[in-house]
Amino acid sequence: MTGEQVVTAERLRRWRMVLGADSAESTGCALTGRDAAMDGALTALYGGGPKSGGRGAGGRSAGLGASAPSVARWLGDIRTYFPSTVVQIMQRDAIDRLGLSALLLEPEILEAVEPDVHLVGTLLSLNKAMPETTKETARAVVRKVVDDLEKRLSGRTRATLTGALDRSTKINRPRHRDIDWDRTIKANLKNYLPEYGTIVPERLIGHGRAAQSVKKDVVLCIDQSGSMAASVVYASVFGAVLASMRTLATRLVVFDTSVVDLTDQLDDPVDVLFGTQLGGGTDINRALAYCQSKITRPADTVVVLISDLYEGGIRDEMLKRVAAMKASGVQFVTLLALSDEGAPAYDRDHAAALGALGAPAFACTPDLFPDVMAAAIEKRPLPIPDSEDR
């Protein structure tokens, strides 16, 4: 074959894989070996045409059998033929398109899946219906995801917040290694000597070494409605990381129409996650009232509300509570989501009202969260993403 023919054949093969079995005649491309196996796995989920029985997008039908053995085999196949990022997407599509959530209650299915944040969210939503024989396997799946997240997020979080806590303790006679040169230069600009091209630092400004006593109080207030599943997972991991820092006193509160304080379980984020109950209504005002009642050092407290702001409680009371906390010196942070997906649907009127109070609402990725917390601890402007549609 010539080079051009090879390119054409490869293009046809790709189109055949994309379009499914119904395109075999029009593309003139027959799949064999690994390609045929990959095509079979895709067809089982996304369908091979109108004769396949189930319903799918664009008239294509899904044909994945809804029995535990067939699903387990399919899960094994896709892990063989596709990278883990693609596997996670296909698993999510299988749950959403084919209604396979109930099969996740089967231990053999859970042992075959590729664990990720979205799968954890699904398992948590099924927690109350999960048989005892499945819970041990489910906890192992959740444990793997949590451990991976902690490895990814804990080091930078501790380093960033330790630096912020150090800088928040300023001293005016610092040792050389503790001098804050940016602040020192700004404070001594009037002492600039142009003939020497230098500044005479009459007053040194520095930050002391953080002591082992508690410097700041942090309250994580997490909406556990169904749309916030990924945020609940990430917030639980961050809560455990913050709780491990002796200079922070961390409280974790989850809410729907009721409020549950999970602070006592922060030593293990898996316990925190299984203490949540995804779904249900939302009463932000009640949750903030509880958090407000636990604040004893407002000037040294950061409250982080993670919610899509669809309030089922008393809107005006919610806003009054936020205003009162800010007036007392509390640093109040509103996150519409704490995930990699960006902001979900959210109540724009409530977001605008909070912004008017000086608590702008924005979505935050896990990688940005340490910087947001550092800014709140130091009482600096929050690093709100420029592209955020507020």
Side-chain angles (χ1 to χ4, degrees), residues 359-382:
F362 59 98
C364 178
T365 64
D367 290 337
L368 181 63
F369 185 75
D371 296 321
V372 170
M373 290 300 300
I377 286 171
E378 296 184 73
K379 300 185 179 181
R380 294 186 283 105
L382 301 178

Side-chain angles (χ1 to χ4, degrees), residues 44-56:
L45 174 57
Y46 299 110
K51 297 180 181 180
S52 295
R55 292 181 299 175

